[in-house]
Amino acid sequence: MEGPAEVSETDISSVEAAFAGFSTDYPEALVRIASLRAEKQQYLLFGWAEFYPFDMTAPSGWKAGKKPWTVPGLPGWTLGFSTERVSSSDALRWYVKAASGGVNIALTAPKPVLAKAPALAREPNWGRFSTAVDAPFAMRWHDGPRIHRLVPMERPAGPIWKLRANVEARAWLQDNLGFDPFTREEWLCGLALLATDPVCASCRVFPSSRTNAGETLSLHLVPRRTCARTADLTSLTVHVVERRSEAWTSIASIPVTKDGFATYQSPQLTDRVGWAVVCKERGLLRIHEPNSWVGQINIGMAVNSGTKQVEVPSGGRRKPPQTYETPILSPVQTSVVGGPVDDRARKRLRRLLIQRRVREQREEAAQRLFGLLPSSNSSAPSQIETARKEAQDYIVDLVRRARRRLIFVDPFFGPREVRLFALQNPHDDVTPRILTGLLGLRTLSFGVQGFQVQQGLQLIADLKGLETQLGRRTPVVRIMPGQDQSIIHDRYLVIDDEVWHCGPSFNELGERLGLIIKVPNPMQIRLMIARVWLASQPLSQGSPPSAEEDA
């Protein structure tokens, strides 16, 4: 491994200057590092430096076992997780050096042990922090800590990607690291600096009195303190903001007194209130986005008054009868705690805004209903043709969006659908792929001269002709396993990373009522399709095999 770029003392000093007063606020730190050793190389999985304020003592370091943990199924691979207590100055210097590629995973060892890591870029700049970060390694007592991160600018190395498929290794990381970095890719192979609020041990904003004419908000800040030192709350300002009916209404800046108490008088009952604590020396320390107060709670209770037994009849030799019991719940009591605020205009406006959002969500839903609802003229040929054309146009519009991946899955996808849909994509880099079924390919269709031919034979001949015109853009067709009962029952359309589930077959879109909808978890479906694709057979150069030949 090529050695990391040397970090000069001048560079370190400039960064320490950006973090001026850091050692005073945080005398100690705990550095936590998870690493992988594979192929005679150490790799960084994730690490962070956790800085403890002056009123707390950092715990002693520890390791996850006396020896590195052996990864099952990967001989010679081990995982390690260590925590080391160091001074905040040493932790900061370690962090700065890591930004230049020198990730030392053994801070207190006689010699450094460097782990391979991708190029890291700081976010935000030195000396600044982000608050309210969704950090899976932050704990409740951190109370929304300040976070600085070194972001990996490259894809993880090959061994790390290979580790991703190891269930036992990911469970070990979850137990020791506190989270699975493979489910939080934004932290994988990166580093972070975590620092709690160094001035306030706690901060509360709450309504202390309320009338129909207005509301008083009280602020209570508790300083960090030891027998020798108490944090100076007068360096802080609390900014209180209010949102009403999806609009910003007010912002008030309230200086904090030495005792930590302050109030804000609102001229009316507040709606959604948020606040930020800002230090004139350290910048933003805490922020809470606007939220509503809990004014009323409805509580309902029910008791189990018995059970009922349900018998399911047999469905054949492979589907034996079943019996199960289901409980019967009866409502007993409901109660209401608190009362609604008498603010008629706000409540009415909120209800209208909710109705608008619901309507917009319905209109923007990634779904489309095909076909005609029952009516006096729903069977008219012109109406049926219009419904069919609308359904086809919708599918064609989806197909034309594909830039990298276009896959049709339909047990009855035939030569007509290849021409009607699969050839509609205009991008030269997209090769349509089709998973169809054996039963559909055996059905008969009218050929060019009007004679009935097997759909499979017609499709083979058509693809040969298309290959001379389209080259690599010629659709690739494979037959799903399962003989006359294709292993995949449903119909899918894969557009790049999206997956659409289609109720009707593509050969009857618009003829009957049916729905197409975008799948919320496409990766699961794409993996299933990929496995079936590998298990399927290419479209034969002759006639589709019979059931006996396929067996």
Side-chain angles (χ1 to χ4, degrees):
M1 171 184 170
E2 184 179 348
E6 290 293 331
V7 183
S8 68
E9 288 297 324
T10 302
D11 294 336
I12 295 177
S13 298
S14 64
V15 175
E16 289 178 334
F19 288 96
F22 210 68
S23 297
T24 304
D25 287 338
Y26 308 98
E28 295 181 321
L30 196 67
V31 176
R32 310 184 191 223
I33 305 172
S35 60
L36 164 69
R37 181 171 178 80
E39 301 172 358
K40 299 181 180 180
Q41 173 68 59
Q42 292 281 3
Y43 293 92
L44 171 70
L45 293 178
F46 181 65
W48 74 98
E50 180 180 340
F51 289 80
Y52 286 76
F54 69 91
D55 64 337
M56 300 181 68
T57 300
S60 300
W62 69 91
K63 293 184 178 181
K66 295 181 179 180
K67 295 182 179 180
W69 182 76
T70 301
V71 180
L74 295 171
W77 287 36
T78 58
L79 288 175
F81 178 70
S82 63
T83 63
E84 299 187 51
R85 181 172 64 184
V86 295
S87 68
S88 60
S89 298
D90 288 344
L92 191 59
R93 292 171 71 90
W94 166 83
Y95 190 72
V96 175
K97 289 183 177 180
S100 300
V103 183
N104 180 14
I105 62 174
L107 278 72
T108 57
K111 293 183 179 180
V113 179
L114 299 181
K116 189 174 183 179
L120 300 171
R122 57 185 181 270
E123 169 56 33
N125 211 342
W126 294 125
R128 305 188 68 188
F129 294 91
S130 299
T131 59
V133 177
D134 181 19
F137 49 92
M139 303 178 189
R140 290 190 63 182
W141 71 266
H142 292 140
D143 199 11
R146 302 187 294 162
I147 300 287
H148 186 281
R149 66 174 76 185
L150 295 177
V151 182
M153 303 303 292
E154 304 165 1
R155 287 172 57 89
I160 296 178
W161 279 114
K162 189 174 182 179
L163 188 70
R164 183 175 192 157
N166 193 295
V167 177
E168 294 90 343
R170 294 178 64 169
W172 187 91
L173 288 170
Q174 176 73 50
D175 292 339
N176 291 278
L177 191 60
F179 72 102
D180 181 357
F182 292 102
T183 62
R184 304 296 295 267
E185 292 90 344
E186 71 273 26
W187 301 103
L188 182 65
C189 299
L191 293 171
L193 186 156
L194 180 152
T196 61
D197 183 342
V199 180
C200 296
S202 68
C203 175
R204 295 178 60 215
V205 177
F206 54 93
S208 55
S209 64
R210 175 180 292 171
T211 65
N212 289 333
E215 190 169 55
T216 300
L217 299 182
S218 292
L219 290 72
H220 182 206
L221 284 72
V222 178
R224 295 195 178 276
R225 58 165 63 92
T226 65
C227 59
R229 177 184 170 189
T230 300
D232 182 12
L233 295 181
T234 61
S235 64
L236 305 180
T237 301
V238 179
H239 303 277
V240 179
V241 297
E242 182 187 5
R243 281 182 65 84
R244 299 180 68 87
S245 305
E246 308 303 322
W248 295 103
T249 303
S250 65
I251 180 169
S253 299
I254 306 171
V256 180
T257 60
K258 186 177 181 179
D259 59 8
F261 289 95
T263 59
Y264 166 66
Q265 184 65 46
S266 173
Q268 64 180 126
L269 300 179
T270 58
D271 189 356
R272 301 176 62 201
V273 175
W275 63 92
V277 179
V278 179
C279 177
K280 60 184 178 182
E281 300 170 358
R282 303 169 182 85
L284 180 64
L285 299 182
R286 299 168 180 255
I287 190 166
H288 290 259
E289 296 185 6
N291 281 305
S292 301
W293 312 114
V294 177
Q296 180 176 324
I297 299 177
N298 297 324
I299 302 174
M301 297 180 61
V303 297
N304 188 344
S305 58
T307 60
K308 60 180 179 181
Q309 191 174 70
V310 179
E311 295 183 355
V312 182
S314 171
R317 181 168 54 87
R318 293 183 298 175
K319 300 176 183 178
Q322 299 180 37
T323 302
Y324 66 89
E325 290 186 347
T326 181
I328 301 174
L329 299 179
S330 301
V332 174
Q333 178 182 0
T334 60
S335 59
V336 178
V337 179
V341 176
D342 186 14
D343 195 339
R344 298 177 59 196
R346 188 187 71 181
K347 289 194 294 185
R348 173 60 178 164
L349 187 55
R350 177 177 293 175
R351 188 176 301 114
L352 293 173
L353 289 169
I354 291 175
Q355 292 175 358
R356 189 197 75 189
R357 284 197 295 270
V358 171
R359 184 186 71 251
E360 291 174 347
Q361 289 173 356
R362 287 198 302 263
E363 294 172 351
E364 295 174 359
Q367 66 181 50
R368 184 67 175 265
L369 183 65
F370 300 141
L372 295 171
L373 294 171
S375 65
S376 58
N377 60 349
S378 61
S379 60
S382 61
Q383 294 290 327
I384 296 175
E385 180 58 30
T386 299
R388 184 185 295 116
K389 182 65 167 55
E390 290 178 352
Q392 292 175 1
D393 289 346
Y394 190 83
I395 298 299
V396 169
D397 180 65
L398 293 177
V399 169
R400 288 175 176 169
R401 298 181 195 174
R403 297 295 189 272
R404 296 176 287 106
R405 187 183 293 114
L406 175 60
I407 306 173
F408 296 88
V409 180
D410 185 346
F412 297 96
F413 205 94
R416 183 176 182 275
E417 291 69 53
V418 170
R419 292 275 182 166
L420 187 61
F421 298 119
L423 302 186
Q424 293 278 3
N425 186 275
H427 300 284
D428 191 52
D429 293 336
V430 176
T431 300
R433 289 186 286 167
I434 298 164
L435 267 177
T436 187
L438 187 63
L439 182 61
L441 295 177
R442 289 207 192 103
T443 59
L444 301 178
S445 66
F446 286 96
V448 177
Q449 289 82 23
F451 296 99
Q452 285 188 326
V453 296
Q454 212 174 34
Q455 291 234 36
L457 293 176
Q458 181 182 348
L459 182 55
I460 290 171
D462 196 26
L463 290 175
K464 286 183 178 180
L466 290 174
E467 189 172 6
T468 62
Q469 305 173 35
L470 302 178
R472 64 177 183 176
R473 292 186 61 233
T474 305
V476 179
V477 181
R478 295 178 73 95
I479 304 172
M480 287 185 274
Q483 301 182 18
D484 286 349
Q485 290 187 337
S486 300
I487 190 172
I488 299 180
H489 173 274
D490 294 0
R491 289 84 176 170
Y492 297 100
L493 174 61
V494 181
I495 306 294
D496 294 337
D497 295 332
E498 298 177 354
V499 176
W500 292 74
H501 178 271
C502 189
S505 287
F506 290 94
N507 61 11
E508 60 175 3
L509 290 176
E511 298 178 8
R512 293 186 294 168
L513 288 172
L515 177 72
I516 186 170
I517 186 169
K518 187 163 71 171
V519 176
N521 181 13
M523 180 59 73
Q524 185 181 26
I525 307 301
R526 283 168 46 201
L527 289 174
M528 177 268 291
I529 293 173
R531 292 184 179 181
V532 174
W533 180 270
L534 292 175
S536 64
Q537 59 177 333
L539 183 64
S540 166
Q541 296 304 309
S543 60
S546 64
E548 291 77 14
E549 293 170 338
D550 190 42

